[in-house]
Amino acid sequence: MSYQSRKQIILKILDEKGDVDVKELAQVLETSEITVRRDLGTMAADGLLYRTHGGAMKLSLVNQPISFVQKSAVNADKKDHICRIAAAQIQDGDVIFMDCGSTVFRMCGFIRDKRIKVITNSLPVVHELLNSAVSINLIGGEVDAERQAVHGSMSIEHIRRYQADKAFLGVGGISVEKGLSAVSEKEAEMTLSMAANAQVTYLLCDSSKLGKDKYLTFAPLTLVNVLITDEQSSEIIQAFTNVGVKVLR
Amino acid sequence: MSYQSRKQIILKILDEKGDVDVKELAQVLETSEITVRRDLGTMAADGLLYRTHGGAMKLSLVNQPISFVQKSAVNADKKDHICRIAAAQIQDGDVIFMDCGSTVFRMCGFIRDKRIKVITNSLPVVHELLNSAVSINLIGGEVDAERQAVHGSMSIEHIRRYQADKAFLGVGGISVEKGLSAVSEKEAEMTLSMAANAQVTYLLCDSSKLGKDKYLTFAPLTLVNVLITDEQSSEIIQAFTNVGVKVLR
DNA sequence: TTTGATTTGTTCAAAAATAATCAAAATTTA
DNA sequence: TAAATTTTGATTATTTTTGAACAAATCAAA
């Protein structure tokens, strides 16, 4: 197998899995570890990947602060369950908002082949979808390094210029009593703006956040058309359904 | 079997499988390896396939756009020379525009410790400066995956909302006769907008681009207040100075 | 800080592939 | 039909790639 053939395979695996190791690639490519090391070295020099000890990572995953990567990986199974359901609500041709939450980010892996337009303020979402079938519009404004997202009054104005079919949003906390709550006023504003400019608003929320409130209550449950969750308790689901929120799980 | 017959068969196999090897083709075509090598050589020269060691690949699998990192690394010494001079023009407290050029991007390394605000449409610039002393505003709009930048009418509007002290811009080509020229109308628009909303406009241009024009002439030299270049020829520098462009080198 | 395990990258030899040269065979042209 | 031209295949020298071996570097645990 030639270097170019191996290169294509390596890039494909990196795109799918985000990172690889030398031993695994040597096995998959049916070649020696030193050949794989040379290939990875060449590809790193060409700016195609990031070389780590024992393997390599996709460039787009490297420049994210640990905090976002770790946060996104917490309850990954639950989040992926939610994201599969969310992705199934999206048809080719849709225009969708995606906010900067760690659950919403994981939707990227499930929508990359869809011919849709994504409007987002999240830098990780942009990076993840850059080389995909998705067309991207990025909301402008002040960049928040910690959250890797754009916020502020300029962002709010920008969002108002768009009209989306669907919005996929996360929150810090949600309960029947208090409605939606957040830990950041900026994020709350973004959530409100995206919801206001979409036909249908989906809330992606894993079970760890249901029934729990954060310091800033910023919207009633009526902001949400559909709640997508992994929560299995009938009582909790019923409580939301009783106040008019459709629940998918 | 004639060359034309073999060619059709080779192209058919490439289309089906994406890649081929010389031995396999020799067997299928019932000819010698050297004949196959000659055929592949001719076809590669004609731009029909990509010759690899031991075989060939379909062009579409190989023709990836040159990465931004690779482009930025071309003439790195010249670019860094220019960027050092550019960085020296910036004081703490400044608000500056930075466009999406590969030379401008290299300025990041020289300004990361300055307490300034950067307004940019370049994703690599944002990533490079995220964990630095710099405050960043990101221009919103449609994301161009190849250039990793944001463009479009929404972006133009967004830029107009800001007033910067300085703008640091690149161009595709520049000459005394034709003025500034570009290979992309989108980038030309961004350059014009940033220049229109800055007090002082700096053009970063390495010697390989001086005196050379691209297909779209989009602005006269008067758009530029200061040209920063690595060019050492007194004649060329004088030519620019004669038409009112201050030159730093 | 030390130590053992793991990984990396260099060196070298072997294997594989390429390209140049030349002669033979096949095809085309007059 | 013969001469000229083109194509093909064999041989050989050169280049490229690969894998083994090993010293140096890195990592994580003690």
Side-chain angles (χ1 to χ4, degrees):
Chain A
M1 200 190 303
S2 72
Y3 164 70
Q4 285 297 335
S5 297
R6 294 193 303 267
K7 183 179 162 183
Q8 299 308 317
I9 296 171
I10 291 169
L11 288 175
K12 185 166 180 284
I13 296 173
L14 260 188
D15 203 49
E16 286 166 2
K17 300 177 71 185
D19 69 348
V20 290
D21 74 38
V22 166
K23 281 191 170 53
E24 170 198 343
L25 283 179
Q27 221 171 17
V28 166
L29 300 169
E30 297 182 328
T31 192
S32 70
E33 291 183 20
I34 181 53
T35 297
V36 170
R37 283 195 238 290
R38 284 193 184 107
D39 288 348
L40 295 181
T42 302
M43 291 168 75
D46 287 344
L48 297 172
L49 51 72
Y50 178 79
R51 192 68 172 97
T52 64
H53 200 77
M57 285 179 74
K58 203 170 159 166
L59 278 182
S60 65
L61 293 182
V62 174
N63 285 331
Q64 291 173 17
I66 294 301
S67 62
F68 189 86
V69 175
Q70 283 173 333
K71 194 164 183 285
S72 184
V74 172
N75 288 324
D77 289 345
K78 292 175 175 177
K79 284 170 171 166
D80 284 352
H81 175 81
I82 290 167
C83 290
R84 276 191 203 95
I85 299 172
Q89 315 304 309
I90 299 169
Q91 284 83 43
D92 279 3
D94 277 352
V95 174
I96 73 172
F97 282 128
M98 286 173 71
D99 78 1
C100 60
S102 61
T103 303
V104 170
F105 168 71
R106 291 190 79 94
M107 277 182 66
C108 294
F110 300 100
I111 62 172
R112 59 186 311 106
D113 297 320
K114 290 179 190 280
R115 295 187 172 283
I116 60 174
K117 178 175 280 288
V118 166
I119 306 171
T120 185
N121 68 319
S122 166
L123 295 175
V125 168
V126 171
H127 270 273
E128 195 56 36
L129 295 175
L130 259 185
N131 298 303
S132 73
V134 170
S135 168
I136 311 163
N137 277 53
L138 177 51
I139 298 296
E142 289 187 346
V143 175
D144 179 326
E146 185 185 329
R147 289 184 172 81
Q148 293 206 94
V150 182
H151 294 101
S153 58
M154 199 71 73
S155 302
I156 304 299
E157 280 188 46
H158 193 176
I159 289 171
R160 283 180 182 151
R161 295 292 301 279
Y162 296 119
Q163 186 65 258
D165 300 304
K166 294 152 185 166
F168 292 86
L169 311 173
V171 280
I174 176 176
S175 70
V176 170
E177 299 73 33
K178 296 282 187 178
L180 310 186
S181 51
V183 295
S184 157
E185 297 180 29
K186 290 176 171 179
E187 283 181 17
E189 286 177 344
M190 297 300 295
T191 301
L192 288 169
S193 296
M194 287 182 174
N197 290 276
Q199 298 293 323
V200 184
T201 298
Y202 296 84
L203 194 75
L204 276 50
C205 194
D206 69 63
S207 49
S208 72
K209 291 176 174 176
L210 291 181
K212 296 184 178 76
D213 299 315
K214 297 297 184 185
Y215 92 89
L216 175 71
T217 294
F218 70 91
L221 285 180
T222 49
L223 188 84
V224 177
N225 301 113
V226 185
L227 170 64
I228 307 180
T229 184
D230 64 301
E231 176 61 61
Q232 291 303 311
S233 163
S234 296
E235 286 183 323
I236 296 177
I237 301 302
Q238 193 60 46
F240 282 98
T241 306
N242 287 350
V243 294
V245 176
K246 181 179 177 183
V247 179
L248 296 180
R249 51 175 176 147
Chain B
M1 200 187 306
S2 75
Y3 167 69
Q4 287 298 335
S5 297
R6 293 194 304 267
K7 183 178 162 183
Q8 296 310 313
I9 295 173
I10 292 169
L11 289 174
K12 185 166 180 283
I13 296 174
L14 260 187
D15 201 51
E16 286 168 2
K17 298 177 71 185
D19 68 349
V20 291
D21 74 38
V22 165
K23 280 191 171 55
E24 171 197 344
L25 282 179
Q27 223 171 15
V28 166
L29 300 170
E30 296 182 326
T31 190
S32 71
E33 292 184 18
I34 181 54
T35 297
V36 170
R37 282 194 233 288
R38 286 194 182 105
D39 288 348
L40 293 180
T42 302
M43 291 168 75
D46 289 343
L48 298 172
L49 51 72
Y50 181 83
R51 191 70 172 97
T52 64
H53 204 79
M57 286 182 81
K58 212 168 151 164
L59 275 181
S60 62
L61 293 180
V62 184
N63 278 344
Q64 287 157 354
I66 185 170
S67 75
F68 186 84
V69 175
Q70 284 172 307
K71 191 165 184 287
S72 184
V74 172
N75 287 325
D77 289 347
K78 292 177 176 177
K79 284 170 171 167
D80 285 351
H81 174 82
I82 290 166
C83 291
R84 276 188 202 96
I85 299 173
Q89 314 306 307
I90 299 169
Q91 285 83 44
D92 279 1
D94 276 352
V95 174
I96 72 172
F97 283 129
M98 286 174 69
D99 78 2
C100 60
S102 60
T103 302
V104 170
F105 168 72
R106 292 189 78 95
M107 278 182 65
C108 294
F110 301 99
I111 61 171
R112 57 187 313 105
D113 297 321
K114 291 178 188 282
R115 296 187 171 286
I116 60 174
K117 178 175 282 289
V118 166
I119 305 170
T120 184
N121 68 319
S122 166
L123 295 174
V125 168
V126 171
H127 270 273
E128 195 58 35
L129 295 175
L130 261 185
N131 299 301
S132 73
V134 170
S135 168
I136 310 162
N137 276 52
L138 177 51
I139 298 296
E142 288 187 348
V143 175
D144 179 329
E146 184 184 330
R147 287 184 174 80
Q148 297 196 69
V150 183
H151 294 101
S153 56
M154 199 70 76
S155 302
I156 306 299
E157 281 189 44
H158 193 175
I159 288 171
R160 284 180 179 149
R161 297 292 302 278
Y162 296 118
Q163 185 68 253
D165 299 304
K166 294 152 186 167
F168 292 87
L169 312 174
V171 280
I174 177 176
S175 70
V176 169
E177 299 74 33
K178 296 283 189 180
L180 309 187
S181 51
V183 294
S184 156
E185 297 181 28
K186 288 177 170 177
E187 282 180 16
E189 286 177 344
M190 298 300 294
T191 300
L192 288 169
S193 297
M194 288 183 174
N197 290 276
Q199 299 294 324
V200 184
T201 297
Y202 296 84
L203 194 75
L204 276 51
C205 193
D206 70 62
S207 49
S208 71
K209 291 177 173 176
L210 291 181
K212 296 186 179 77
D213 300 314
K214 296 298 185 186
Y215 93 89
L216 176 71
T217 296
F218 69 92
L221 285 180
T222 49
L223 189 85
V224 176
N225 301 113
V226 186
L227 169 64
I228 306 181
T229 185
D230 64 300
E231 177 62 60
Q232 293 303 311
S233 164
S234 298
E235 285 183 325
I236 296 178
I237 300 303
Q238 193 61 44
F240 283 97
T241 307
N242 286 349
V243 294
V245 178
K246 181 179 177 183
V247 179
L248 296 181
R249 54 181 173 138

